Structure formats: structure tokens, C-alpha cells
């Protein structure tokens, strides 16, 4: 609620009731670690204005000089841990800073702790202003969640949040056990898990909005920022998962795997046939086929796959009547991603063996200098990210021959 809304709510209260409510708010701030400090401060300001209004009217009637009486509240200074990015006070301080709004004492402490946390991250980010800060955890989660609900390959891949240049062991399907002859010695098997090492590539996006953004509410601005980050930063990661060149950006699936006759099917005649799909399924080892899905773009689905029939003249594409997924092909869940080239499909276990890394979150800076003449505020989003194919043998490509 706004100050005006609280004022309208409390304007008919007596001074005793106002003081009682102020005392209750004080207790809430001191005893409840999850209290919404920003909202309570707004309510306190409204109570103060109501009390001043009552005393001003009383002074007019008595002819006495008006002596404003402020509501006295003493708050215990709150300290913040390394998880300050998770705290609601930091979220409030983060957006108020971007909007150029005044911070409360608690929000200032939270924001300072958040800046210290950013400095601990091995100077992963190079900032150009003193107002740079890491996006709150709740907002980052909302960005990722929004991307996952809007389809594409990203929601089916493995998400990491690990430091760059560190090898992370990832298990692959193991060899089966051997039958043992009683009394015979059994040699131990050397286990060599696949190791994935993420690099650090910078993703940068600058967007400008009118200076009237200062009048936006925190929730409205957070919604706007979430939409911008999802459609730019996260979409760029999704594109790199498939098409990344490896030069100044991640190495994507199409370029990271060496496609040969052992892991790809070249379709002739200008179309993908039912036999091509079954051949591709046969190339994928059972250990990877258990969690496999098939990815293609919308044009390939409706131009090549939708009308395919099996040997019994039945459609091989089975739509999902519950709309929980798009449908299945040969028992494999279908994933639509328009970053996949036309007439190309990838079958594989994306949930375990294709991953992306976003170790430092997303840092946001605001600048009012570069667009001074236009009355705009520039916002810069910067992320360190990478994607990796963890096990190339977990994927099979189906494509129409050039």
C-alpha cells in the first residue's frame, strides 16, 4: 500500500490508537526477521502524517502553536549474512537504488552487504559505476522460471552454478556387472567419470527507458526487468546451447559434436522419413535413450514430421491431449526450439548431458549520463555464462542432406 492509502485508512483513529499501532510496528521490526521493512516504514510514515494532521487541527481550535510530535521507534540494527541476496531488504534496496529512490537505514545496510558480496566474487565483473549490484536471488529465480515456462531447450537442460575453470565430474552410464566364477579373482574396473569445465563468457545487454521510471513501483519495475532479462540474457544462453561457435561465446551442441555415420542420419530425397527416425533411435545407446527427448523447430515439426506415418499408416507424432507437453515421437518427448535450424532434429539426453552455467548471477548498473540529452536512464545487464556438451555420445542428429 502507498502512504496515501494508509493515511486514508487511519485518518479517523485517535492519537492513542495511532501510538498503539506504532508500538506494534516497532515490535514487529525488532522481533520478526521476515518482516517487510519497507512496507512497515511506509505505514509508519502514514501514521506520523495522521498524527500531525490531528495536532494541526487541534492547534487551530485552541490557538496554540503547533508542535509536531513524531512517532518514536527504536529498531535493532539488523545484520546480514553471505545470503543477503536472498533477503527481502536487499531486494527492496536493489530496486530502489536503480529507481533513484531513498533507502531506509535497514535497506542501506542490506545494500552495503550485497555490494561486499559482489566484491567477494573474485572480480568476475568489471563495473563502470558505483551503483552496480547483483540481482536479488528471488528476481533471478523468476527470470529462469519464466524462461522455463516459455518452452525451448533451456528448460530441459542441466543448470549449474559453479565457479568457472573448475572440473566437475559427471557420471555416465556404467558398464554392466560380470558373471563371477566362484573363487576366481575379479579385477576392479577403473571408473572415469566425464569432467565438465565451464569457461566464463560475458553476456551484455544495454536498454534505455524514460526517466519517469522513478515513479514506478518496485513490483512493476521488477516485472519489467524480469521480462527484459528473460528475453535477452536467457534467450542468448538458449541460442548458444544449440548454435554457439566457441569463439567469444559457448560452444553449442551442433558445433561441439563431431557428426559421423555413427551418430547422425543424413536424410535423402529432401525430407525426413519414418525410417530415418527409427534409424536414429537405433544409434542412441540404451543408457542415454532412457531420458532422451527430440528437439526441432516449429517449421520442421509441421513441414516434415507432423504428416509422417508408420508402416501401419498411423501418425508417428502423438500430440498430448492434456497439453502438459507438446507430444511424442516414437515414444520420445518432443521439444520445440526455434533456435534449431530447419530440417534438423537432435535426439538425446539433454537433462543430464547438456548444461549451462550462470555462476555469478546477473549484475545490473544504471547510468543517467549517456542519455542525458534524451531524458533517458540506461540500464546495463552483465552476466558470466557458458554452456557445455557433457557427453557427445548422448546425442544423435537427423538432418536432410544438403
Amino acid at each position: 500500500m502507498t502512504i496515501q492509502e494508509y493515511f486514508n485508512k487511519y485518518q479517523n483513529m485517535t492519537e492513542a490508537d495511532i501510538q498503539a499501532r506504532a508500538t506494534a510496528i516497532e515490535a514487529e521490526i525488532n522481533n520478526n526477521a521476515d518482516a517487510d521493512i519497507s512496507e512497515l516504514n511506509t505505514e509508519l510514515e502514514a501514521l506520523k502524517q495522521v498524527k500531525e494532521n490531528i495536532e494541526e487541527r487541534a492547534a487551530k481550535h485552541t490557538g496554540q502553536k503547533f508542535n509536531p510530535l513524531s512517532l518514536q521507534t527504536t529498531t535493532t540494527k539488523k545484520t546480514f549474512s553471505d545470503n543477503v541476496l536472498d533477503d527481502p531488504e536487499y531486494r527492496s534496496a536493489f530496486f530502489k537504488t536503480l529507481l533513484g529512490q531513498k533507502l531506509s537505514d535497514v535497506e542501506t545496510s542490506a545494500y552495503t552487504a550485497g555490494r561486499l558480496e559482489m566484491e567477494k566474487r573474485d572480480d568476475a565483473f568489471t563495473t563502470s559505476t558505483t551503483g552496480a549490484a547483483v540481482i536479488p536471488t528471488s528476481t533471478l529465480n523468476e527470470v529462469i522460471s519464466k524462461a522455463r515456462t516459455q518452452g525451448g531447450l533451456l528448460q530441459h537442460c542441466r543448470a549449474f552454478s559453479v565457479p568457472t575453470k573448475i572440473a566437475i565430474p559427471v557420471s555416465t552410464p556404467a558398464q554392466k556387472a560380470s558373471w563371477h566364477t566362484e573363487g576366481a579373482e575379479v579385477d576392479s574396473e577403473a571408473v572415469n567419470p566425464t569432467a565438465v569445465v565451464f569457461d566464463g563468457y560475458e553476456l551484455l545487454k544495454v536498454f534505455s527507458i524514460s526517466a519517469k521510471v522513478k515513479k514506478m513501483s518496485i513490483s512493476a519495475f521488477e516485472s519489467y526487468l524480469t521480462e527484459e532479462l528473460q528475453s535477452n540474457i536467457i534467450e542468448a544462453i538458449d541460442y548458444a546451447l544449440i548454435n554457439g561457435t566457441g569463439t567469444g561465446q559457448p560452444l553449442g551442441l551442433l558445433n561441439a559434436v563431431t557428426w559421423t555415420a555413427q551418430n547422425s542420419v543424413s536424410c535423402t530425397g529432401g525430407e525426413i522419413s519414418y525410417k530415418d527416425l527409427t534409424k536414429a533411435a537405433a544409434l542412441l545407446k540404451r543408457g542415454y535413450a532412457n531420458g532422451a527427448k527430440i528437439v526441432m523447430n516449429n517449421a520442421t515439426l509441421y513441414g516434415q514430421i507432423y504428416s509422417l506415418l508408420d508402416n501401419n499408416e498411423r501418425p508417428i507424432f502423438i500430440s498430448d491431449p492434456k497439453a502438459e507437453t507438446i507430444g511424442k515421437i516414437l515414444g520420445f518427448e518432443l521439444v520445440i526450439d526455434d533456435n534449431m535450424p530447419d530440417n534438423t532434429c537432435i535426439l538425446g539426453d539433454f537433462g543430464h548431458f547438456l548444461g549451462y552455467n550462470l555462476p555469478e548471477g546477473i549484475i545490473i548498473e544504471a547510468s543517467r549520463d549517456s542519455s542525458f540529452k534524451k531524458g533517458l536512464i540506461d540500464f546495463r545487464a552483465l552476466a558470466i555464462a557458458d554452456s557445455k556438451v557433457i557427453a557427445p555420445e548422448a546425442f544423435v542428429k537427423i538432418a536432410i542432406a544438403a
Side-chain angles (χ1 to χ4, degrees), residues 2 80 145 197 258 264 317 366 396:
T2 64
F80 297 92
S145 175
V197 180
T258 301
S264 65
F317 171 66
V396 173

Side-chain angles (χ1 to χ4, degrees), residues 34-107:
D34 297 324
D36 189 340
I37 304 298
S38 177
E39 187 71 15
L40 293 175
N41 283 335
T42 300
E43 188 175 354
L44 274 175
E45 179 61 28
L47 288 169
K48 177 182 175 182
Q49 292 183 14
V50 171
K51 188 166 186 176
E52 289 176 348
N53 183 264
I54 293 173
E55 294 185 351
E56 185 175 5
R57 284 182 295 170
K60 287 181 179 180
H61 286 295
T62 60
Q64 297 175 353
K65 184 179 177 181
F66 172 54
N67 182 22
L69 179 63
S70 61
L71 298 174
Q72 301 296 324
T73 60
T74 57
T75 61
T76 303
K77 186 175 180 180
K78 184 174 181 179
T79 58
F80 297 92
S81 64
D82 291 341
N83 296 323
V84 63
L85 300 184
D86 300 343
D87 292 337
E89 293 87 356
Y90 177 78
R91 171 184 170 273
S92 176
F94 173 85
F95 286 106
K96 279 189 175 182
T97 301
L98 290 182
L99 294 171
Q101 298 177 3
K102 186 178 180 180
L103 305 184
S104 67
D105 292 340
V106 176
E107 289 168 339

Side-chain angles (χ1 to χ4, degrees), residues 170-175 192-194 288 353 390-391 393:
V170 179
S171 61
T172 57
Q175 296 290 330
N192 297 309
T194 297
Y288 300 113
F353 302 109
I390 300 170
E393 64 270 18

Side-chain angles (χ1 to χ4, degrees), residues 100-318:
Q101 298 177 3
K102 186 178 180 180
L103 305 184
S104 67
D105 292 340
V106 176
E107 289 168 339
T108 301
S109 299
Y111 192 75
T112 302
R115 291 279 301 168
L116 293 174
E117 173 64 19
M118 187 181 73
E119 293 173 3
K120 292 178 184 178
R121 298 187 176 201
D122 301 324
D123 295 326
F125 296 114
T126 300
T127 63
S128 58
T129 68
T130 58
V134 179
I135 191 170
T137 301
S138 60
T139 307
L140 179 60
N141 290 340
E142 179 63 23
V143 172
I144 300 296
S145 175
K146 191 176 183 66
R148 288 180 176 273
T149 60
Q150 293 189 356
L153 185 57
L154 185 83
Q155 64 174 310
H156 301 278
C157 294
R158 190 168 181 179
F160 291 86
S161 184
V162 297
T164 58
K165 301 297 184 182
I166 292 182
I168 307 299
V170 179
S171 61
T172 57
Q175 296 290 330
K176 60 181 180 295
S178 301
W179 294 104
H180 176 237
T181 302
E182 187 176 354
E185 183 178 351
V186 178
D187 294 329
S188 61
E189 179 184 352
V191 178
N192 297 309
T194 297
V196 56
V197 180
F198 287 103
D199 291 316
Y201 297 102
E202 288 188 0
L203 265 175
L204 191 65
K205 176 64 180 178
V206 177
F207 48 95
S208 302
I209 56 178
S210 170
K212 67 181 181 182
V213 66
K214 294 180 65 174
K215 301 298 183 182
M216 294 177 68
S217 67
I218 289 178
S219 58
F221 184 68
E222 181 179 30
S223 177
Y224 166 80
L225 190 64
T226 298
E227 189 70 31
E228 283 287 337
L229 296 179
Q230 186 273 323
S231 62
N232 292 288
I233 298 293
I234 304 302
E235 281 293 334
I237 296 175
D238 187 50
Y239 179 85
L241 281 167
I242 299 173
N243 300 293
T245 64
T247 303
Q249 59 182 272
L251 186 60
L253 178 59
L254 291 177
N255 297 312
V257 179
T258 301
W259 302 108
T260 66
Q262 281 68 49
N263 65 355
S264 65
V265 176
S266 182
C267 310
T268 58
E271 62 182 17
I272 299 173
S273 68
Y274 171 66
K275 186 176 181 180
D276 292 328
L277 293 173
T278 57
K279 183 178 179 181
L283 292 176
L284 193 65
K285 295 180 180 178
R286 187 186 68 177
Y288 300 113
N290 288 337
K293 299 177 182 180
I294 185 166
V295 180
M296 65 188 72
N297 67 20
N298 207 50
T300 303
L301 170 62
Y302 289 101
Q304 294 288 335
I305 304 299
Y306 195 82
S307 59
L308 282 183
L309 305 176
D310 63 15
N311 294 332
N312 294 317
E313 299 297 315
R314 295 175 301 187
I316 68 167
F317 171 66
I318 308 299

Side-chain angles (χ1 to χ4, degrees), residues 353-399:
F353 302 109
L354 180 64
Y356 67 92
N357 190 36
L358 197 63
E360 310 291 347
I362 302 174
I363 189 172
I364 306 291
E365 296 179 76
S367 172
R368 293 164 175 80
D369 299 331
S370 57
S371 298
F372 175 77
K373 293 182 178 180
K374 299 179 181 179
L376 300 176
I377 300 176
D378 294 330
F379 294 94
R380 188 183 81 166
L382 177 64
I384 306 297
D386 192 15
S387 65
K388 276 289 187 293
V389 177
I390 300 170
E393 64 270 18
F395 303 97
V396 173
K397 183 173 78 169
I398 311 106

